[in-house]
Amino acid sequence: MTTDSSFDVVVIGAGPVGLACGLEVQRRGLSVCVVDKGALVNSIIGYPTNMEFFSTPELLEIGGYPMTTLHYKPLREDALDYYRRVAQTEKLTLRLYERVTGLEGEQGRYEVVTNKSRIGARFVIVATGFYDVPNLLLVPGEDLPHVTHYYKEPYAHADQDVVVIGAKNSSAKAALQLLRAGARPTLVVRGSEISESVKYWIRPDLVNRIKEGRIGCLFNSTVTRITDTTVELNTPDGPRTLPAQHVYALTGYHPDFSFLTALGITCEADAAQTPTHHADTLETNRPGLYLAGTVCGGLNTSRWFIENGRYHAQLIAARLAGEAAPDLPEVQQQVQFS
């Protein structure tokens, strides 16, 4: 397969941070191509219908474009429209539904290998996030068709028994929505209580519905097996079996470490398996290969989000253009979505 095109910079990942990297690089006179294995802002497409971001619009903006919304906090649909319009306005070169499989060469003459072509690049930026790889339960039956690690909407589950595994924001909102759509939800929680990290306006609602008995909840419990019609558990009172026509295993996500390895990026020997990079420049162990956004934190997926990860774009673009590092605001680390 021969190289079919070349750019100064190739950005891998067309999420908000990847798009921010593309436009900041392009504004500095460098040619850039943004490649993604899926759709534009593919992760946001996978978020629940009408999901409300925890952040206000100005914290999600990139490139100085205002995000307009009728809501105090934007919905998933607002963000989808916004990032599409930014990409179109900036006339970014996009190569969507093209999966990167490897990276050959060295700084100044890299070749990004995809399932469709080879793309030449002087520099490469990886902004692949973490939402594509769920944290698995590793129990029998997890691969059954009625088990999923992504929650979309509750309406298909009216008059059904649904087990939700997890105790953080996604699980809390899913359980509440399922209840109000006529399902019979039960939460399975590994710890002794609903996580204190659940947002203050969601947690009391969930706790009260559990106290009322409208949402079942088993604390200090773990899943041992999933069948076509049940979920089997270990609980403090011994084994227990729950009926389940659907199972939402909302146990979190992590970066695709096998993909990082395929690019030649090493990881540190810390608990987060932090991908190797220089904190001040975001350059990895391979010269000319950079990280941006959530992927920088490894398993610590609460460290970087759109709100603070978008500033990585300015830092990297300035460095590639030979400019002094910009003065960037300190952005409070906060959860990105509900």
Side-chain angles (χ1 to χ4, degrees):
M1 191 182 298
T2 59
T3 303
D4 69 350
S5 55
S6 294
F7 300 86
D8 292 316
V9 181
V10 168
V11 179
I12 305 173
V17 173
L19 294 178
C21 289
L23 68 86
E24 292 291 346
V25 165
Q26 186 165 272
R27 287 177 177 180
R28 287 164 173 81
L30 301 174
S31 60
V32 62
C33 175
V34 182
V35 185
D36 198 291
K37 69 180 183 300
L40 188 69
V41 288
N42 196 65
S43 292
I44 297 178
I45 288 175
Y47 290 173
T49 305
N50 293 323
M51 180 215 76
E52 181 184 70
F53 282 79
F54 288 154
S55 299
T56 50
E58 64 273 10
L59 294 177
L60 302 177
E61 294 169 354
I62 60 175
Y65 291 98
M67 177 184 284
T68 57
T69 175
L70 297 176
H71 311 91
Y72 173 63
K73 294 180 179 178
L75 302 182
R76 161 186 175 268
E77 289 72 16
D78 296 324
L80 288 171
D81 183 60
Y82 169 77
Y83 292 116
R84 174 188 59 79
R85 288 187 292 108
V86 170
Q88 289 178 340
T89 300
E90 291 283 329
K91 296 182 173 58
L92 289 175
T93 298
L94 303 174
R95 294 176 65 153
L96 304 175
Y97 298 99
E98 184 166 352
R99 182 181 293 273
V100 174
T101 59
L103 179 64
E104 298 178 2
E106 58 189 23
Q107 176 176 308
R109 48 179 184 170
Y110 275 126
E111 283 197 338
V112 178
V113 183
T114 80
N115 62 329
K116 297 180 179 180
S117 65
R118 301 174 76 95
I119 310 169
R122 294 169 54 211
F123 306 99
V124 177
I125 304 171
V126 179
T128 47
F130 72 104
Y131 194 59
D132 290 332
V133 186
N135 298 327
L136 298 179
L137 298 170
L138 300 176
V139 298
E142 188 172 13
D143 58 348
L144 289 170
H146 68 298
V147 181
T148 179
H149 293 272
Y150 297 91
Y151 171 76
K152 198 71 176 178
E153 57 184 19
Y155 308 109
H157 306 304
D159 197 35
Q160 288 194 318
D161 297 302
V162 183
V163 171
V164 180
I165 304 165
K168 295 188 177 180
N169 286 291
S170 296
S171 300
K173 293 217 52 176
L176 289 166
Q177 289 188 1
L178 286 162
L179 172 67
R180 286 159 185 154
R184 295 180 293 274
T186 300
L187 275 170
V188 175
V189 181
R190 185 173 55 184
S192 60
E193 63 177 358
I194 301 301
S195 174
E196 293 289 346
S197 67
V198 174
K199 291 302 180 180
Y200 67 86
W201 63 91
I202 300 172
R203 193 175 189 276
D205 189 4
L206 178 61
V207 169
N208 287 332
R209 302 298 78 76
I210 292 171
K211 287 180 180 178
E212 293 171 353
R214 297 176 65 196
I215 294 178
C217 189
L218 293 170
F219 293 107
N220 299 305
S221 299
T222 55
V223 176
T224 58
R225 184 169 178 258
I226 301 171
T227 74
D228 289 330
T229 57
T230 65
V231 174
E232 298 177 8
L233 308 172
N234 275 335
T235 78
D237 299 321
R240 182 164 174 180
T241 299
L242 298 175
Q245 279 84 50
H246 201 91
V247 179
Y248 285 105
L250 305 181
T251 49
Y253 312 92
H254 63 267
D256 188 343
F257 291 108
S258 63
F259 176 68
L260 298 179
T261 298
L263 299 182
I265 299 173
T266 60
C267 290
E268 302 299 318
D270 57 14
Q273 299 179 44
T274 307
T276 303
H277 65 282
H278 194 286
D280 293 333
T281 66
L282 302 176
E283 191 171 23
T284 70
N285 55 286
R286 291 189 75 176
L289 175 60
Y290 294 79
L291 298 178
T294 309
V295 70
C296 295
L299 294 176
N300 187 0
T301 55
S302 62
R303 178 171 175 77
W304 302 107
F305 287 106
I306 300 172
E307 297 95 316
N308 51 12
R310 59 186 175 159
Y311 294 111
H312 291 170
Q314 297 179 34
L315 181 65
I316 297 172
R319 179 174 175 83
L320 298 188
E323 301 174 359
D327 292 327
L328 301 177
E330 291 187 10
V331 180
Q332 183 179 4
Q333 294 169 9
Q334 51 190 302
V335 177
Q336 177 182 340
F337 59 87
S338 54

